[in-house]
């Protein structure tokens, strides 16, 4: 891809996200989301492979439909209340339409079908942007409108997302699809606590990004796209593959790793809100995701290939990415001791 075109796309992504996050007016928020959609399309289709073109087409159609629904929601609210302010979304129909529009943009169940297919058709670096950076503006809109949203609807969407994210990931052999269903499952955890504690949703999203970024970067470094190639990847960079197991277990939410922190806080908050059955259900559903994380970890570090591969082990990665990956790996594994700081804020 042309470096100037890539720079323009990345700059537009920053611009679109900033406009949406900082805006108070619905039209400006919609404009930022549209800039994001148009900026990511060249990055999705840069390989010119038919699957990449298909992924870009699916992404454009889905995001355009969601943006139109979001605009219709804000116009309906303005028609009945005379307010274009994002925080003044009060009309019930507008709240329902907005929840649907943001669910489509994020890939919450039952609007999740596009996300695994688009992620499968792109490179790992573009998939990383789709799974983390491009989810931040829609989540910000949900946070701003959280007092007006229907908690029962969000709880149903959250439990369905956690269930399907874990269930559908069980039978996958492509690492990008597994990470897509992992993202859907984590979005369920964010959505279930949104109305009761919006700050906790934001903390969960930040920690999810911290855990997902090093996994995508590691898979990109060892050039692994399938489970079958992951079993031989340990011969390339053994230390990096060994830490991949810890990162996957952290994403699964096992203590004493970073990923346990958001699940612990969410279950605690749900219990305070007298939603113990909901907390129990979502905790049990996360066991489905734990299974395919363990399978990934098993393939990455424990399985030995039938034939030894005779080539030099690469004990160090590229120096330009070495510190970057190392920093994120450390954060994705060792942040649990900082939990008292979160309790005091």
């Amino acid at each position: 891809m042309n470096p100037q075109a890539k720079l323009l796309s990345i700059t537009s992504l920053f611009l679109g996200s900033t406009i949406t996050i900082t805006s108070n007016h619905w039209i400006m928020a919609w404009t930022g989301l549209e800039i994001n959609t148009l900026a990511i399309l060249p990055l999705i289709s840069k390989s010119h492979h038919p699957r990449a073109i298909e992924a870009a087409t699916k992404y454009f159609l889905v995001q355009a439909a969601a943006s139109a629904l979001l605009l219709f929601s804000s116009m309906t609210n303005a028609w009945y209340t005379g307010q274009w302010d994002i925080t003044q979304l009060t009309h019930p129909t507008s709240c329902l339409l907005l929840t649907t529009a943001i669910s489509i943009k994020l890939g919450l169940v039952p609007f999740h079908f596009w996300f695994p297919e688009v992620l499968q058709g792109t490179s790992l670096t573009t998939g990383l942007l789709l799974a983390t950076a491009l989810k931040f503006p829609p989540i910000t809109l949900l946070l701003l409108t959280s007092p007006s949203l229907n908690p029962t609807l969000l709880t149903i969407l959250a439990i369905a997302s956690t269930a399907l994210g874990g269930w559908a990931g069980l039978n996958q052999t492509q690492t990008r699809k597994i990470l897509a269903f992992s993202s859907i499952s984590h979005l369920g955890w964010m959505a279930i606590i949104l109305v009761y504690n919006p700050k906790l949703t934001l903390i969960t999203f930040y920690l999810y990004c911290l855990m997902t970024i090093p996994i995508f970067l590691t898979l990109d470094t060892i050039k692994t796209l399938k489970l079958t190639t992951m079993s031989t990847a340990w011969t390339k960079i053994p230390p990096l593959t060994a830490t991949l197991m810890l990162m996957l277990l952290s994403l699964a939410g096992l203590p004493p790793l970073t990923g346990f922190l958001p699940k612990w806080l969410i279950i605690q908050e749900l219990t305070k809100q007298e939603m113990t059955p909901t907390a129990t259900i979502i905790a049990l559903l996360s066991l489905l995701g734990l299974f395919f994380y363990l399978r990934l970890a098993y393939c990455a570090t424990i399985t030995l290939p039938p034939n030894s591969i005779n080539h030099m082990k690469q004990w160090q990665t590229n120096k330009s990415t070495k510190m970057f990956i190392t920093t994120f790996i450390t954060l994705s594994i060792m942040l649990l001791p900082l939990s008292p700081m979160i309790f005091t804020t």
Side-chain angles (χ1 to χ4, degrees), residues 105-167:
K105 278 199 166 291
L106 290 174
L108 279 169
V109 175
F111 312 106
H112 67 284
F113 298 100
W114 63 274
F115 189 55
E117 298 299 324
V118 170
L119 218 64
Q120 179 62 24
T122 63
S123 63
L124 280 164
T125 47
T126 309
L128 173 59
L129 286 175
L130 288 170
T132 54
L134 286 177
K135 291 191 184 297
F136 189 41
I139 285 177
T140 306
L141 293 179
L142 277 182
L143 288 171
L144 291 172
T145 57
S146 59
S148 308
L149 300 180
N150 186 344
T152 307
L153 177 61
L154 281 174
T155 302
I156 293 169
L157 290 176
I159 290 176
S161 298
T162 311
L164 192 131
W167 192 264

Side-chain angles (χ1 to χ4, degrees), residues 115-243:
F115 189 55
E117 298 299 324
V118 170
L119 218 64
Q120 179 62 24
T122 63
S123 63
L124 280 164
T125 47
T126 309
L128 173 59
L129 286 175
L130 288 170
T132 54
L134 286 177
K135 291 191 184 297
F136 189 41
I139 285 177
T140 306
L141 293 179
L142 277 182
L143 288 171
L144 291 172
T145 57
S146 59
S148 308
L149 300 180
N150 186 344
T152 307
L153 177 61
L154 281 174
T155 302
I156 293 169
L157 290 176
I159 290 176
S161 298
T162 311
L164 192 131
W167 192 264
L170 293 177
N171 201 30
Q172 299 297 328
T173 57
Q174 302 285 334
T175 53
R176 285 170 293 185
K177 280 197 173 181
I178 290 174
L179 290 171
F181 285 114
S182 161
S183 176
I184 293 169
S185 179
H186 279 84
L187 282 171
W189 282 88
M190 296 174 210
I192 202 165
I193 204 66
L194 179 69
V195 176
Y196 308 104
N197 194 339
K199 287 183 181 179
L200 192 48
T201 298
L202 205 55
I203 291 170
T204 307
F205 178 72
Y206 288 153
L207 291 177
Y208 165 73
C209 290
L210 277 179
M211 293 181 290
T212 304
I213 288 170
I215 291 177
F216 270 97
L217 293 177
T218 301
L219 293 176
D220 187 51
T221 303
I222 61 179
K223 300 293 183 288
T224 301
L225 298 176
K226 293 185 293 185
L227 289 181
T228 52
T229 55
M230 186 175 277
S231 60
T232 59
W234 70 274
T235 57
K236 296 178 182 176
I237 312 173
L240 194 59
T241 314
T243 53

Side-chain angles (χ1 to χ4, degrees), residues 6 77 136 225 288:
K6 185 182 286 188
N77 187 68
F136 189 41
L225 298 176
L288 291 169

Side-chain angles (χ1 to χ4, degrees), residues 64-125:
S67 295
L69 202 57
L70 184 139
L71 193 60
F72 181 60
S73 164
S74 58
M75 288 173 65
T76 307
N77 187 68
W79 178 271
Y80 282 103
T81 65
Q83 289 286 340
W84 281 99
D85 197 301
I86 293 176
T87 56
Q88 300 298 320
L89 191 79
T90 53
H91 195 264
T93 307
S94 299
C95 294
L96 179 63
L97 289 172
L98 177 79
T99 306
T100 307
I102 300 296
S103 299
I104 294 172
K105 278 199 166 291
L106 290 174
L108 279 169
V109 175
F111 312 106
H112 67 284
F113 298 100
W114 63 274
F115 189 55
E117 298 299 324
V118 170
L119 218 64
Q120 179 62 24
T122 63
S123 63
L124 280 164
T125 47

